[in-house]
Amino acid sequence: MIETIATADSNRELAPGYRLLTLDLKEDVPVRAGQFAMLKPHASLEPLLRRALAVYRVHSPRRISFLYQVLGRGTEALARVENGGAVEALLPLGNSWPDAIGANQRVIVVAGGIGSASVFMLCEKLASTGVDTQLLFGARSEPTAIGCGLEDFRALGLPLTLTTDDGSLGEQGFVTGALERELLRSGRPRSTIYACGPWVMMKRVAEIAVQFEARCFVSLEAPMGCGFGVCVGCVVAVKTRGTNEYGSYKRVCTDGSIFPAESIRWEVDPIAH
Ligand SMILES: Cc1cc2nc3c(=O)[nH]c(=O)nc-3n(C[C@H](O)[C@H](O)[C@H](O)COP(=O)(O)OP(=O)(O)OC[C@H]3O[C@@H](n4cnc5c(N)ncnc54)[C@H](O)[C@@H]3O)c2cc1C
Ligand code: FES
């Protein structure tokens, strides 16, 4: 993990409320698929805390991109960073997508909304290794699909099912409906699901995984303070007693952000409490 001041190479709007920030780093930073960074504009006291963003793409060890939705104070401040502007970055953070693919495995990646940012590098890797992969990409509408990187995902050439809530692009409906259909089509055993999206989506993905006896890993989003295990602001309730002093809670920043879906107490939403 390094703490550095990076330079914004570009920070462009992909669709209303969705942006792509590309940073140049001063040193090589090895990043694995699924890891994240804590970012804020340099020398800005408002907001004080950095915000967590998944590393979307690694162009080179010194050049990386983040795909983000402009939601509140932190991401609004990031959206104002101009080309050449300075960004405080702490990275790489968190674990990475586990390589759970055994012989004859098939993989289903479920990208819901801006959760797409966490799975792009995983999809890149799957596309390059030729693993039997289905990509299920869900967004609210056509503009949000574009804002969540749809064109980049399409360029990978993986078999892709696109759903939008309003039917403006792809199939109308939730991405979880496409997941159920895919599992019915491909048969139960030997599927591994990787998912990132809103809590309610991942909760349903976890239920479907149990129903179809599929292995399932999810990348969780909890509000974060520090990003490296100190503030305990990011805890999620887990089913089994953990090995640390937090008992049946785990820190998303250092124990995750990626967890086996069956280990999570899905009835306790970390954003809602
Ligand atoms: C490991 C990790 C990776 C993430 N990767 C990305 C990413 O690649 N792209 C991206 O756009 N976002 C990502 N997020 C979510 C992002 O960190 C939050 O949306 C951001 O912190 C909001 O900050 P804000 O100051 O703009 O909004 P705030 O003013 O803090 O919040 C605005 C609204 O968003 C809700 N919110 C706050 N934090 C979160 C959160 N962590 N998850 C969901 N809702 C939240 C609040 O309840 C509020 O309603 C990630 C979060 C984590 C933990
Ligand atoms: S964000 Fe501080 S412990 Fe996880």
Side-chain angles (χ1 to χ4, degrees):
M1 171 178 89
I2 64 154
E3 189 168 24
T4 189
I5 311 291
T7 305
D9 175 71
S10 66
N11 187 14
R12 65 189 172 90
E13 189 179 70
L14 298 184
Y18 293 85
R19 302 183 79 89
L20 183 71
L21 171 67
T22 300
L23 295 182
D24 287 328
L25 304 168
K26 293 192 180 100
E27 57 190 291
D28 289 6
V29 179
V31 178
R32 288 174 284 131
Q35 289 191 297
F36 68 98
M38 297 292 286
L39 301 178
K40 78 189 270 287
H42 182 46
S44 152
L45 292 176
E46 171 51 39
L48 200 58
L49 297 174
R50 304 171 179 122
R51 296 300 193 256
L53 294 184
V55 176
Y56 176 56
R57 298 188 77 161
V58 172
H59 307 281
S60 77
R62 292 190 185 198
R63 193 179 169 80
I64 58 180
S65 293
F66 299 88
L67 188 67
Y68 65 102
Q69 183 178 8
V70 183
L71 271 180
R73 291 184 305 151
T75 46
E76 278 164 9
L78 276 176
R80 289 192 293 272
V81 172
E82 294 179 354
N83 295 359
V87 175
E88 282 177 32
L90 187 69
L91 78 167
L93 300 168
N95 59 6
S96 57
W97 292 106
D99 192 359
I101 305 155
N104 304 318
Q105 276 276 356
R106 63 177 69 91
V107 167
I108 306 172
V109 180
V110 185
I114 200 65
S116 60
S118 174
V119 296
F120 184 77
M121 287 205 288
L122 170 71
C123 289
E124 261 185 332
K125 190 171 153 194
L126 291 165
S128 70
T129 47
V131 173
D132 177 2
T133 304
Q134 295 288 324
L135 170 59
L136 311 180
F137 190 104
R140 262 189 233 134
S141 62
E142 177 170 0
T144 61
I146 303 298
C148 294
L150 177 62
E151 293 315 319
D152 290 337
F153 281 88
R154 276 191 168 137
L156 294 176
L158 291 171
L160 185 152
T161 302
L162 172 64
T163 64
T164 51
D165 300 1
D166 66 359
S168 53
L169 200 64
E171 299 170 17
Q172 179 166 19
F174 294 141
V175 72
T176 45
L179 175 63
E180 280 182 291
R181 281 202 310 280
E182 177 54 32
L183 284 163
L184 279 171
R185 186 192 69 77
S186 59
R188 291 177 184 217
R190 302 197 323 273
S191 293
T192 300
I193 302 166
Y194 297 97
C196 187
W199 186 266
V200 64
M201 181 207 94
M202 289 194 286
K203 181 172 189 267
R204 183 71 193 120
V205 167
E207 287 166 1
I208 294 169
V210 170
Q211 188 188 335
F212 286 90
E213 299 165 26
R215 301 181 72 186
C216 181
F217 298 93
V218 290
S219 179
L220 300 183
E221 292 191 357
M224 289 194 175
C226 66
F228 51 89
V230 175
C231 72
V232 201
C234 63
V235 291
V236 283
V238 295
K239 282 182 186 157
T240 49
R241 201 173 165 76
T243 52
N244 58 32
E245 69 269 37
Y246 304 107
S248 55
Y249 288 87
K250 288 208 171 185
R251 289 164 296 184
V252 171
C253 63
T254 46
D255 298 317
S257 61
I258 294 159
F259 295 89
E262 74 273 10
S263 69
I264 303 300
R265 284 181 55 202
W266 290 103
E267 70 278 16
V268 190
D269 180 342
I271 306 290
H273 66 67

